Amino acid sequence: MDKNIIEYRDLSIIHSHQKVLENFNLTIKKGEKLLIRGKSGTGKSTLFLCLLGLIRPSKGDVYFDNLPVNGNSVSFVRTKVAYVPQDVDVGRDSVNEFFDTIFSYNAVGFSPSFEKIHRLFEWFELDVSILKKEFKSLSGGEKQRIVLILSLLLERNVFLLDEPTSSLDSSLKSKVVDYFVNDPSLTVIVISHDPQWEREGLRVVDIPNI
Ligand SMILES: Nc1ncnc2c1ncn2[C@@H]1O[C@H](COP(=O)(O)OP(=O)(O)OP(=O)(O)O)[C@@H](O)[C@H]1O
């Protein structure tokens, strides 16, 4: 576990004249598990969006697998990273249609097996009948688990999880944390205020107020 997978070098972000991050440095090694904490508005989600090329830094660079994230590398980065945002809106689609849409993209290039879908539904305590329901009609906790399952079905090794357990009860939180923390092949960066993520071996990074 000694190869750097993500590096924020001297990153500064200014959103509409407001300084959000200033000279921020962070190096993440392959297989590491990181918990990002900090007050609301300190720029935690912005760190994820910079890595995905959705926000351009005002100063500094982000590197993924030693490549600077820019117009040439961003599609590569997006095929390697699974991003779970705080809120997901998929219109009126059923869960099945939502999955079909994601797996129809050329950048994904495969469909998950039914066994894998069923195994994950079982692990996260969801009934497969939910596949037929409108995503919009699900409870907050069901939606969170569906999006986490989707991120795992993508078979990527780097996970950016933005408050992924905020709507789950304690026992489900623990299952989600177990799943992501116990697999040494995964690099996991989670933004959460939930103490359940504070596991041994997980590095805590506090984003300062500026
Ligand atoms: N596209 C944008 N344009 C202008 N301001 C933005 C933009 N995106 C984010 N911001 C501002 O940048 C700051 C940091 O936002 P960010 O979402 O990264 O914070 P956060 O630490 O993840 O917050 P929270 O814990 O509340 O989710 C906030 O003040 C936000 O309003």
Side-chain angles (χ1 to χ4, degrees):
M1 194 178 86
D2 43 18
K3 193 175 171 229
N4 292 345
I5 185 79
I6 296 166
E7 250 190 288
Y8 293 93
R9 278 195 210 158
D10 223 15
L11 194 79
S12 297
I13 306 278
I14 300 173
H15 278 313
S16 338
H17 309 292
Q18 176 202 354
K19 266 190 198 168
V20 176
L21 291 157
E22 195 169 31
N23 302 326
F24 179 81
N25 288 286
L26 179 66
T27 301
I28 299 161
K29 296 201 180 294
K30 221 171 179 173
E32 243 192 320
K33 315 289 186 275
L34 252 88
L35 173 61
I36 308 268
R37 299 184 309 196
K39 287 202 170 147
S40 179
T42 46
K44 302 180 298 298
S45 305
T46 298
L47 286 173
F48 285 177
L49 299 179
C50 283
L51 176 64
L52 295 164
L54 297 169
I55 287 181
R56 199 191 289 248
S58 316
K59 185 167 97 39
D61 287 293
V62 186
Y63 289 79
F64 180 83
D65 213 1
N66 293 317
L67 284 173
V69 176
N70 57 31
N72 294 324
S73 62
V74 74
S75 349
F76 166 76
V77 175
R78 290 182 195 167
T79 60
K80 298 290 173 197
V81 171
Y83 169 48
V84 173
Q86 277 186 45
D87 295 304
V88 177
D89 178 7
V90 301
R92 299 189 64 83
D93 278 359
S94 68
V95 175
N96 240 335
E97 286 163 338
F98 175 35
F99 281 11
D100 284 350
T101 304
I102 301 295
F103 287 98
S104 70
Y105 295 146
N106 283 339
V108 178
F110 70 97
S111 289
S113 68
F114 281 115
E115 292 85 62
K116 187 153 190 205
I117 295 176
H118 284 215
R119 192 156 41 80
L120 286 167
F121 269 64
E122 206 171 310
W123 175 264
F124 291 115
E125 298 178 21
L126 285 173
D127 194 286
V128 281
S129 62
I130 263 189
L131 283 165
K132 295 200 187 102
K133 290 194 179 173
E134 247 186 45
F135 181 82
K136 220 165 60 175
S137 72
L138 304 182
S139 73
E142 287 169 339
K143 283 181 187 159
Q144 259 183 346
R145 281 175 285 163
I146 291 292
V147 177
L148 284 166
I149 288 172
L150 178 60
S151 76
L152 289 163
L153 289 171
L154 288 168
E155 295 184 353
R156 296 181 179 171
N157 289 325
V158 180
F159 287 82
L160 308 178
L161 310 177
D162 199 341
E163 295 286 1
T165 45
S166 54
S167 305
L168 302 181
D169 65 42
S170 174
S171 112
L172 281 169
K173 274 180 189 173
S174 174
K175 282 192 129 172
V176 171
V177 178
D178 282 347
Y179 202 101
F180 284 95
V181 168
N182 293 341
D183 186 339
S185 70
L186 306 183
T187 305
V188 181
I189 310 171
V190 58
I191 297 173
S192 180
H193 294 97
D194 203 318
Q196 292 232 33
W197 283 96
E198 290 167 20
R199 294 278 181 93
E200 202 179 323
L202 192 141
R203 175 151 66 115
V204 177
V205 175
D206 286 305
I207 306 296
N209 290 327
I210 54 168

